[in-house]
Amino acid sequence: MDEVKQIVADIKKGNIRPIYFLMGEEPYYIDAISDYIEKNVLSEEEKGFNQMVLYGRDVTVDDIVGNAKRYPMMSERQVVIVKEAQDLSRTIEKLVNYVENPQPTTVLVVNYKYKKIDKRKSLYKTIKKAGVVFESKKLYENQVAEWIRRVLSGQNYTISPKASQMLVEFLGTDLSKINNELEKLKIILPEGTQISAEHIEDNIGISKDYNNFELRKAIGDRDALKAFKIINYFGDNPKDNPMVVTVSLLFNFFSQLLHFHGLHDKNPRNVASALKINPYFVNEYVSAARNFPMRKVSQVISILREFDVRGKGVNSNAVPQGDLLKELLVRIFS
């Protein structure tokens, strides 16, 4: 995020480079930089003749170079944006000849999503000298809640740990989807608001009581009644609560719990750092560790591996998801 801010800040100052090669597994930041350049480098009057958007599936590298070498009309510069450039992955290295001597009045923006060019080859090294190479890396799941907090804090909003965890569990690590939901909330809620679990439930449709976050907590507390209520809800709404996601999240939880048992220093700050969790959730692990000794945690991890396979249709004989989850809970609590 800091690198993105720096790129945008440089553009605002007028320090605009001739080439921006935006690559990597996370499309959110690639789109953010490309959209900023598309909207802000040229005035509305200049865009008509001097801004062009190309798509990798429809053009060749030679086409891109031909457009980039044009001179702007009644403008200081022109902008050429290539979207879905990963479709040119087999020939993208041919761009090196242009990059060695780029047109100084052209801003060439290449969106190379879900892939990256070889850093050992000439194209990468040449772009680094002439322009900007930005790699947008996928965030790990345990980093997304902090990303949500930072995005909102920059827009004068805060969010409760439970609310951010609900978003992560429901939307995963897709930053574009998460950002879309946050934008909806910002339309409804005034600046300065702390986004709560209730806001998430009322406006996004994620249940604050029947979700994987609450299931994990109920299991950790050995609250069988609550856990089975949630599982029954999942069984009635399988499309919104796929078993593969539930098993994966429980597997991560018990793997972290095993790590917790192995810690010599169980100071909350050290636990949060070691497990890479928000300090707000440390007490859940303390409670779960009391209810699930290390040996039992190891057994549960083995059970979850078994049900991960069964949930994908192996040796399950078309057993409904709800019934599999109930059996899973019985095995965990036994």
Side-chain angles (χ1 to χ4, degrees):
M1 186 182 291
D2 292 337
E3 189 177 353
V4 175
K5 288 181 178 178
Q6 186 60 55
I7 291 171
V8 170
D10 286 343
I11 294 172
K12 286 181 178 178
K13 293 174 184 175
N15 181 17
I16 300 173
R17 309 300 295 278
I19 301 165
Y20 292 85
F21 198 97
L22 315 173
M23 64 181 188
E25 292 296 322
E26 178 49 67
Y28 175 80
Y29 286 120
I30 293 174
D31 287 336
I33 296 171
S34 181
D35 289 348
Y36 183 83
I37 292 172
E38 185 173 352
K39 292 174 183 175
N40 294 282
V41 168
L42 298 180
S43 68
E44 290 302 321
E45 293 77 17
E46 293 172 326
K47 288 177 183 178
F49 291 109
N50 298 293
Q51 186 154 284
M52 180 172 294
V53 178
L54 308 173
Y55 289 85
R57 64 178 177 272
D58 299 326
V59 298
T60 65
V61 172
D62 289 339
D63 294 330
I64 295 169
V65 171
N67 281 284
K69 284 185 174 181
R70 289 190 320 141
Y71 287 97
M73 294 180 62
M74 297 176 290
S75 176
E76 182 182 345
R77 58 174 62 90
Q78 68 160 347
V79 175
V80 178
I81 299 171
V82 186
K83 297 189 176 184
E84 311 300 337
Q86 66 274 10
D87 290 339
L88 294 167
S89 59
R90 293 183 179 179
T91 56
I92 196 68
E93 284 292 328
K94 290 172 63 178
L95 192 61
V96 69
N97 292 328
Y98 172 79
V99 177
E100 287 173 345
N101 187 28
Q103 181 77 329
T105 54
T106 293
V107 181
L108 176 61
V109 184
V110 182
N111 297 313
Y112 199 78
K113 294 180 180 178
Y114 313 111
K115 294 183 178 182
K116 54 187 179 180
I117 54 175
D118 192 332
K119 296 180 181 180
R120 298 167 297 180
K121 292 188 176 181
S122 298
L123 179 59
Y124 176 83
K125 294 175 181 177
T126 309
I127 296 173
K128 285 285 285 184
K129 293 177 182 177
V132 171
V133 181
F134 170 74
E135 183 177 351
S136 186
K137 297 180 180 179
K138 200 81 173 175
L139 294 185
Y140 294 110
E141 189 171 296
N142 60 24
Q143 298 173 310
V144 178
E146 173 61 15
W147 178 85
I148 293 171
R149 187 196 67 77
R150 290 184 66 187
V151 166
L152 289 172
S153 67
Q155 299 162 349
N156 199 23
Y157 288 86
T158 57
I159 187 168
S160 72
K162 179 176 178 179
S164 62
Q165 192 69 27
M166 286 169 63
L167 284 173
V168 174
E169 291 190 356
F170 190 73
L171 299 171
T173 59
D174 190 323
L175 302 188
S176 295
K177 285 184 179 179
I178 293 172
N179 187 66
N180 287 341
E181 297 301 336
L182 294 178
E183 290 297 323
K184 293 176 188 175
L185 289 171
K186 287 189 292 179
I187 292 172
I188 299 164
L189 304 173
E191 284 192 24
T193 300
Q194 180 178 65
I195 297 171
S196 66
E198 287 74 17
H199 291 136
I200 300 294
E201 181 175 47
D202 294 342
N203 298 290
I204 298 178
I206 307 170
S207 172
K208 66 180 177 63
D209 296 317
Y210 297 97
N211 56 64
N212 284 303
F213 170 80
E214 292 295 332
L215 176 63
R216 186 186 75 183
K217 188 174 186 305
I219 292 173
D221 291 339
R222 276 197 171 268
D223 187 343
L225 179 61
K226 183 177 179 180
F228 276 100
K229 282 182 178 179
I230 296 170
I231 288 300
N232 285 332
Y233 178 85
F234 285 3
D236 293 337
N237 301 274
K239 289 185 179 179
D240 293 332
N241 304 278
M243 180 174 172
V244 64
V245 174
T246 298
V247 172
S248 174
L249 291 170
L250 289 177
F251 182 85
N252 290 341
F253 175 66
F254 277 95
S255 297
Q256 288 175 313
L257 193 56
L258 190 65
H259 188 182
F260 176 88
H261 275 297
L263 292 175
H264 294 294
D265 181 2
K266 290 187 171 61
N267 178 281
R269 182 176 297 179
N270 183 63
V271 170
S273 174
L275 301 187
K276 296 182 173 61
I277 60 173
N278 188 306
Y280 175 85
F281 298 113
V282 168
N283 284 338
E284 286 187 24
Y285 290 82
V286 174
S287 174
R290 287 196 295 263
N291 292 318
F292 291 89
M294 183 178 283
R295 181 176 294 182
K296 179 61 178 177
V297 171
S298 298
Q299 291 174 357
V300 171
I301 289 173
S302 297
I303 292 167
L304 288 165
R305 285 198 178 103
E306 174 193 335
F307 276 80
D308 178 54
V309 174
R310 292 178 63 186
K312 294 170 181 173
V314 179
N315 299 324
S316 62
N317 297 320
V319 178
Q321 173 179 304
D323 291 343
L324 277 175
L325 287 171
K326 289 174 187 175
E327 183 183 346
L328 172 62
L329 278 189
V330 170
R331 297 272 297 275
I332 289 175
F333 284 135
S334 64

